[in-house]
Amino acid sequence: MDEIRLNTSRLSEKAASLRAGQRVLLSGTVYTSRDAAHKRITEMLDRGEGPPYPLQGAAIYYAGPTPARPGAVIGSCGPTTSVRMDPYTPRFLDLGVKCMIGKGKRSAAVVEAIQRNSAVYLCALGGAGALAAQCITECQVIAFEDLGCESVKRLTLKDFPLLVGIDSQGNSILV
């Protein structure tokens, strides 16, 4: 399969055309969010409050970047194990999230929600957080600053290398 360059602004229209195993160079806006942030966002939604970023068409990167060294945009920014977000993910997908970025397998409920919402799960290379950070051109904490590295951040990516782990048809490269 060919490598595709994709901007997050086109995820809503392009997610369904991506296929498991395809290489993607992703650019645009993504939001970091791990299990503690997912829990807080879910609690906000349960109270009828809006989330700290728009879920419609969003790309969420399961990462907790380390602090930036002087002169750097961000510290190491590798993926975390995605299964920890599985209790929250079907709801987030049903509210419009189009893309999740992480590492590892997903539950059957998440795969069903990916299919139901024509979304996509992209896999980042674990253990290469310093290399991943080179593809991040901007970083801003936007919520839950008290969570430190696990706060929600808005990142701007430039040609971030990923693999389609689970496509919108439920096909998977994950064993």
Side-chain angles (χ1 to χ4, degrees):
M1 284 185 204
D2 291 332
E3 185 172 73
I4 182 170
R5 289 183 185 275
L6 180 61
N7 191 286
T8 56
S9 65
R10 300 192 67 205
L11 276 171
S12 291
E13 67 185 78
K14 294 290 187 180
S17 68
L18 298 175
R19 294 293 169 253
Q22 189 171 27
R23 294 180 309 187
V24 174
L25 293 176
L26 190 66
S27 297
T29 302
V30 301
Y31 300 93
T32 65
S33 189
R34 290 177 45 157
D35 37 333
H38 271 59
K39 182 176 188 241
R40 286 191 188 178
I41 292 168
T42 297
E43 291 167 350
M44 292 172 75
L45 294 169
D46 288 345
R47 292 191 302 263
E49 300 171 14
Y53 55 89
L55 297 180
Q56 190 64 44
I60 299 175
Y61 183 21
Y62 303 142
T66 63
R69 292 189 300 220
V73 171
I74 197 167
S76 181
C77 192
T80 196
T81 304
S82 301
V83 73
R84 295 197 332 244
M85 275 54 71
D86 283 5
Y88 311 101
T89 300
R91 183 175 185 185
F92 281 35
L93 288 165
D94 290 342
L95 290 171
V97 169
K98 277 297 173 191
C99 173
M100 300 141 304
I101 302 166
K103 68 177 181 181
K105 295 180 183 180
R106 306 308 302 265
S107 69
V110 169
V111 175
E112 289 171 16
I114 288 170
Q115 290 176 275
R116 181 171 63 245
N117 293 286
S118 296
V120 66
Y121 172 55
L122 302 176
C123 294
L125 181 63
L131 290 173
Q134 294 175 13
C135 298
I136 299 169
T137 61
E138 292 179 43
C139 173
Q140 179 184 13
V141 174
I142 62 167
F144 315 137
E145 191 168 358
D146 62 301
L147 293 177
C149 70
E150 292 191 39
S151 64
V152 174
K153 297 168 186 68
R154 181 175 41 244
L155 305 180
T156 303
L157 307 182
K158 172 82 169 119
D159 294 335
F160 193 83
L162 301 162
L163 282 177
V164 177
I166 304 171
D167 66 26
S168 65
Q169 305 302 306
N171 301 309
S172 176
I173 62 168
L174 308 168
V175 182

